[in-house]
Amino acid sequence: MSTTSPRRRYKRDYGEGHVVDDSSNADDRTDRETFVEPSHPPQDDADLVTSESSWPIVLYIPNLMGYLRIILSVYGLVSAIQQQASVALNTWIAASLLDLFDGMAARRLNQCSKFGVLLDILADNILRTLIWIAAIIESLKQDDERLIPKVCCFTALICLEWITMVCSQCNQANSESGHWKDFQRGRKAPFWIEAVFKNNFRSPFGTIAIFGLFIAPFGSYFWAADRLSKTTWPWKVLLESEYAALLLIRCAYVGRLLCVVVECWLCLEYIRGLIHHDTLQRRQKRS
């Protein structure tokens, strides 16, 4: 580890086009993070700032991909209601794959924006919500009272996801770093929370959580619909092995449960912060 330079630059990329530049002292790592306008990813250690795109923000290519993701999500639900389970799943998968490319497109085309970050989060939530709704509809069609607790759990997950999004976005608006993933700034997070967020979810716990977050609704609908043809790609392999499909879905539920723990912690931390802020304001008024 070199100690010749008194100051070092740490670049943090959140995946939606946000880049944070950490400038900290070699002997003191407690300096605050500063938000840097999103830019084209550097090829080396050169400056992060490049010229901005001249396109209207709402017409940025990544944002157009976000609109398309929302449209595909809605179309998938319509297909599911029309008993076209295979079309619905393939459409939702296409919407999910677009999520892998919009962030890369934003950085490569230098079309990053806070609006794009919000749109990306909304598109993710809308996609998962509609898949959960489709799974609920299919479960209710089976007319089995034993499925009522499952339907209640699916509904609770939908509510928790949106509550978490509201809390995280409100917290971002009040944060100094400018991104909701900097949840641990100013307070120490439990080790199991840090394990999930470590390296921007590029960790064993983070991988399990993200796997469960996206695969659990897919698996729930897949299992509830039970109307896919065994010759339909790409479901042929899973449908030929019910055990493999069930194992994959259960693993996804484990990851989704881990997400629930993280989501509850994020919401509670935000609520505690609000209460603490209100308490301080009340004391100041009294004094």
Side-chain angles (χ1 to χ4, degrees), residues 13-18 99 102-104 107 120 181 200 202:
D13 184 353
Y14 290 104
E16 302 101 338
H18 263 16
D99 187 31
D102 58 358
M104 291 187 293
R107 293 185 290 273
D120 180 73
K181 291 180 186 175
N200 195 28
R202 297 183 183 92

Side-chain angles (χ1 to χ4, degrees), residues 114-188:
K114 291 184 178 180
F115 171 75
V117 174
L118 179 61
L119 180 62
D120 180 73
I121 296 172
L122 286 173
D124 284 341
N125 271 31
I126 290 173
L127 171 63
R128 292 192 296 266
T129 296
L130 295 183
I131 300 176
W132 282 121
I133 291 175
I136 291 173
I137 293 174
E138 292 298 329
S139 298
L140 292 176
K141 288 179 180 178
Q142 299 182 24
D143 195 22
D144 188 348
E145 292 184 355
R146 293 176 298 178
L147 295 176
I148 294 179
K150 180 185 290 188
V151 170
C152 292
C153 288
F154 292 171
T155 305
L157 287 175
I158 294 173
C159 297
L160 181 58
E161 281 202 31
W162 285 99
I163 292 172
T164 303
M165 193 202 79
V166 171
C167 291
S168 62
Q169 294 306 302
C170 290
N171 185 51
Q172 172 187 340
N174 297 323
S175 68
E176 296 173 347
S177 65
H179 203 281
W180 68 270
K181 291 180 186 175
D182 278 334
F183 59 91
Q184 72 270 48
R185 274 291 158 187
R187 58 186 180 275
K188 180 67 174 178

Side-chain angles (χ1 to χ4, degrees), residues 1-6 8 26:
M1 182 181 296
S2 174
T3 58
T4 57
S5 176
R8 297 176 180 174

Side-chain angles (χ1 to χ4, degrees), residues 45 62 90 98 107 190 211 213 272:
D45 291 333
N90 288 328
L98 281 176
R107 293 185 290 273
F211 175 80
L213 185 66
R272 288 174 184 172

Side-chain angles (χ1 to χ4, degrees), residues 226-238:
D226 195 27
R227 274 187 282 272
L228 296 175
S229 169
K230 289 188 177 182
T231 60
T232 302
W233 184 90
W235 313 110
K236 186 175 185 297
V237 176
L238 284 177

Side-chain angles (χ1 to χ4, degrees), residues 78-93:
V78 173
S79 300
I81 294 175
Q82 295 176 345
Q83 308 301 320
Q84 299 176 354
S86 178
V87 174
L89 277 170
N90 288 328
T91 303
W92 287 328
I93 288 177

